[in-house]
């Protein structure tokens, strides 16, 4: 019997969506049957389909925003920002695809020419996360379709309704129904999809554990393109600055936006000793004012619940574990209703913890570490296997130059949040945060591959060395 999948609203526990788990073989087969015809279309035709998709999203912007807010628990204003980002991605990916895969022609020897053009991989699996259930997968589906691939999209099992609506809008825009397929299912479905012989590429966004498992599973399949974006244990360093109130606002945005459920969220606040008491005071004042509530509340909340009760339970256990290791709570992690996954923003001083765990606490927990000098701050920032994002707040241009040169991360900001990357910039990290396949404006790089050709309209060739003399005696009179 096919398993049923259900999605519940985190804020209320209400059943939002239910459907049957998908058939991997059937969905990959349908995508494989569609992609040659889709790839044969002119790239301008595929780009125009993406523009129609942007218009389809605009036409149902309110409905999609409401669905995302209810399914993830994020505030409605933030869900609207996510949908706006989906729309903006279309023009961005059209532009960057043209820039990064533009055809090149060069003159060759003997009146030939050399060209570089790009081909799609075939069928690509896009595996999306729950925190941005429309924007993140759109950032891979759009360039994959522009390149001429067919897509099998598996949304997170925690946000299937948002994923289903995204696919519906693509079909509404005229993308052939078999060129983009929705595959609903949990982790086991994802495992089968990744290793399916009909899948030519895997584009994954999610936890490091799952990403590493995908990388291992595909180690014997070099013919498959694999792009991994896996989050981070991101550092934010606070150094000399006269404006601690502004610094506190940046820290709060970095650590607690989307209830701390951003892969780029600040997890570790590394502070110069002399600034610690001042910034703790500012953070306490600001945290006390943050509204935590359901997505449609009035006044609008700063953040909503985490995705589900299991996640909230795990974060509570992690906070207690840090305390048991010697961490000193500065703002406790509170859960006002044990039946629902609402958590308050928290701050804990882990400076006394000798062996700080290098894990991604995917929620509103910020760990503070005090250091004596800037070299120690950089060492602390690099004390992680991850390498997604990092930020320096305060400091001089010389401090920032040193920070940029020595901190290992794919995104490094100065006097801005850890997540402040947008437009056509690449998005990705190093270490266990990614496998050097950044998305964003660089997504075209893993959606198509370059083909180099030497071309001539007529065959012209001769062999000038290494041939035996012609034996004229055998030629007769």
């Amino acid at each position: 019997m096919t398993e049923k999948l259900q999605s519940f609203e985190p804020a209320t526990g209400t059943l939002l969506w239910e459907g049957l788990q998908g058939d991997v073989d059937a969905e990959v087969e349908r995508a494989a049957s569609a992609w040659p015809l889709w790839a044969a279309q002119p790239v301008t035709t595929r780009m125009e389909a993406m523009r129609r998709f942007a218009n389809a999203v605009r036409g149902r912007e309110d409905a999609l925003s409401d669905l995302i807010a209810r399914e993830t628990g994020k505030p409605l204003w933030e869900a609207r920002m996510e949908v706006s980002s989906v729309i903006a991605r279309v023009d961005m990916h059209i532009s960057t695809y043209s820039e990064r895969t533009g055809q090149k022609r060069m003159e060759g020897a003997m009146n030939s020419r050399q060209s570089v053009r790009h081909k799609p991989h075939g069928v690509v699996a896009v595996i999306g996360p729950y925190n941005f259930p429309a924007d993140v997968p759109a950032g891979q589906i759009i360039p994959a379709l522009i390149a001429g691939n067919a897509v099998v999209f598996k949304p997170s099992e925690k946000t299937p309704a948002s994923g289903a609506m995204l696919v519906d809008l693509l079909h509404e825009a005229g993308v052939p129904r078999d060129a983009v397929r929705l595959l609903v299912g949990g982790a086991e479905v994802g495992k089968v999809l990744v290793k399916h012989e009909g899948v030519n590429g895997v584009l994954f966004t999610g936890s490091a554990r799952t990403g590493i498992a995908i990388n291992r599973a595909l180690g014997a399949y070099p013919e498959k393109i694999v792009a991994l974006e896996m989050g981070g244990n991101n550092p934010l360093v606070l150094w000399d600055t006269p404006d601690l109130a502004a610094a506190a606002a940046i820290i709060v945005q970095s650590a607690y936006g989307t209830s701390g459920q951003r892969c780029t969220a600040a997890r570790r606040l590394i502070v110069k000793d002399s600034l610690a008491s001042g910034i703790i005071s500012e953070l306490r004042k600001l945290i006390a004012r943050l509204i935590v509530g359901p997505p449609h509340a009035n006044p609008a909340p700063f953040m909503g619940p985490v995705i589900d009760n299991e996640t909230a339970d795990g974060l509570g256990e992690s906070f207690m574990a840090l305390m048991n290791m010697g961490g000193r709570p500065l703002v406790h992690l509170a859960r006002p209703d044990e039946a629902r996954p609402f958590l308050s923003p928290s701050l804990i001083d882990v400076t006394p913890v000798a062996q700080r765990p290098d894990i991604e606490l995917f929620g509103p927990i910020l760990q503070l570490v005090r250091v004596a000098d800037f070299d120690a701050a950089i060492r602390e920032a690099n004390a992680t296997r991850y390498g997604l994002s990092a930020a320096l707040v305060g400091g001089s241009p010389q401090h920032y130059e040193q920070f940029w040169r020595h901190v290992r991360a794919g995104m490094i900001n100065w006097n801005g949040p850890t997540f402040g990357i947008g437009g056509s910039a690449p998005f990705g990290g190093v270490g266990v945060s990614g496998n050097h396949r950044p998305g964003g404006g660089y997504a075209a790089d893993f959606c198509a591959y370059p083909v180099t050709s030497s071309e001539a309209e007529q065959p012209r060739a001769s062999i000038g060395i290494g041939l035996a003399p012609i034996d004229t005696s055998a030629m007769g009179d």
Side-chain angles (χ1 to χ4, degrees):
M1 180 180 292
T2 304
E3 184 179 341
K4 182 180 289 186
L5 191 70
Q6 296 180 319
S7 175
F8 297 89
E9 296 183 20
T12 64
T14 302
L15 178 64
L16 177 67
W17 182 95
E18 62 181 354
L20 297 178
Q21 184 167 276
D23 183 325
V24 177
D25 289 334
E27 298 303 342
V28 172
E29 183 179 342
R30 291 185 67 171
S33 70
W35 91 262
L37 184 59
W38 177 246
Q41 300 296 313
V43 68
T44 52
T45 299
R46 299 193 297 267
M47 289 176 174
E48 188 56 35
M50 293 303 96
R51 291 191 176 100
R52 293 195 302 270
F53 166 66
N55 287 333
V57 175
R58 283 189 189 96
R60 298 178 66 186
E61 192 167 355
D62 289 345
L64 181 56
S65 300
D66 179 72
L67 179 61
I68 292 170
R70 287 188 290 133
E71 190 165 43
T72 65
K74 66 174 59 177
L76 181 60
W77 62 264
E78 187 179 350
R80 291 187 184 281
M81 290 179 63
E82 178 173 352
V83 175
S84 295
S85 180
V86 172
I87 295 169
R89 280 188 180 277
V90 170
D91 282 342
M92 183 273 283
H93 284 298
I94 287 173
S95 175
T96 55
Y97 184 83
S98 300
E99 291 170 3
R100 299 193 69 79
T101 67
Q103 183 171 317
K104 298 180 178 67
R105 290 193 180 275
M106 299 155 282
E107 292 301 318
M110 302 177 66
N111 294 322
S112 69
R113 62 180 180 269
Q114 292 187 350
S115 70
V116 178
R117 288 174 284 175
H118 288 73
K119 288 185 178 184
H121 298 287
V123 176
V124 297
V126 174
I127 302 176
Y130 63 76
N131 56 342
F132 289 90
D135 187 36
V136 168
Q140 296 175 329
I141 293 171
I142 292 169
L145 290 173
I146 289 173
N149 299 284
V151 173
V152 178
F153 168 42
K154 194 197 91 63
S156 167
E157 58 271 28
K158 298 182 180 184
T159 52
S162 300
M165 188 168 182
L166 192 68
V167 172
D168 285 345
L169 289 165
L170 286 160
H171 291 158
E172 183 181 313
V175 178
R177 298 192 69 83
D178 287 348
V180 57
R181 301 300 303 165
L182 176 72
L183 177 64
V184 171
E188 290 305 314
V189 168
K191 290 176 183 178
V192 175
L193 176 64
V194 162
K195 295 191 70 173
H196 196 285
E197 63 181 8
V199 170
N200 305 105
V202 176
L203 315 181
F204 168 79
T205 305
S207 71
R209 177 181 297 178
T210 302
I212 291 169
I214 290 172
N215 207 40
R216 287 174 176 163
L218 297 181
Y221 301 91
E223 67 274 17
K224 292 180 188 259
I225 185 74
V226 182
L228 305 173
E229 197 278 282
M230 302 181 290
N233 187 12
N234 308 304
L236 189 155
V237 173
L238 176 65
W239 216 246
D240 300 318
T241 177
D243 195 344
L244 289 181
I250 292 173
I251 293 164
V252 164
Q253 290 170 347
S254 298
Y256 308 126
T258 320
S259 302
Q261 297 176 121
R262 290 177 182 245
C263 56
T264 51
R267 307 294 174 201
R268 297 173 294 139
L269 175 59
I270 301 164
V271 180
K272 187 177 184 179
D273 261 330
S274 60
L275 296 179
S277 61
I279 195 61
I280 290 169
S281 176
E282 291 292 338
L283 286 172
R284 279 174 167 158
K285 288 188 291 186
L286 191 51
I287 289 171
R289 296 176 56 201
L290 296 180
I291 300 173
V292 181
H296 297 81
N298 188 14
F302 175 81
M303 55 182 262
V306 295
I307 192 65
D308 55 26
N309 286 328
E310 181 182 3
T311 300
D313 292 342
L315 289 165
E317 292 169 4
S318 294
F319 194 84
M320 288 297 298
L322 289 173
M323 290 175 58
N324 291 336
M325 293 176 189
R328 184 169 67 90
L330 304 172
V331 179
H332 276 275
L333 183 72
R335 187 173 179 182
D337 180 357
E338 289 297 322
R340 301 265 49 85
F342 289 94
L343 297 174
S344 66
S346 64
L347 179 64
I348 182 167
D349 186 346
V350 296
T351 309
V353 178
Q355 298 294 325
R356 291 186 278 277
D358 182 22
I359 57 176
E360 182 182 36
L361 295 177
F362 209 64
I365 299 174
L366 179 61
Q367 302 165 74
L368 182 142
V369 181
R370 307 165 189 248
V371 294
D373 55 60
F374 200 67
D375 287 340
I378 289 178
R379 286 195 300 273
E380 190 62 46
N382 283 332
T384 177
R385 300 175 303 147
Y386 294 87
L388 183 59
S389 67
L392 171 65
V393 176
S396 65
Q398 292 74 27
H399 282 123
Y400 177 62
E401 179 65 18
Q402 183 182 355
F403 187 78
W404 190 93
R405 284 183 178 277
H406 295 287
V407 169
R408 296 188 302 272
M411 294 172 281
I412 299 175
N413 297 336
W414 186 25
N415 287 323
T418 49
F419 57 81
I421 300 293
S424 59
F427 185 101
V430 296
V432 295
S433 290
N435 65 331
H436 302 271
R437 297 281 190 273
Y442 281 33
D445 295 359
F446 55 68
C447 291
Y449 65 94
V451 178
T452 303
S453 305
S454 177
E455 304 163 351
E457 293 184 3
Q458 296 290 334
R460 295 183 61 182
S462 62
I463 299 175
I465 192 170
L467 297 180
I470 298 173
D471 184 357
T472 57
S473 64
M475 298 177 62
D477 294 334

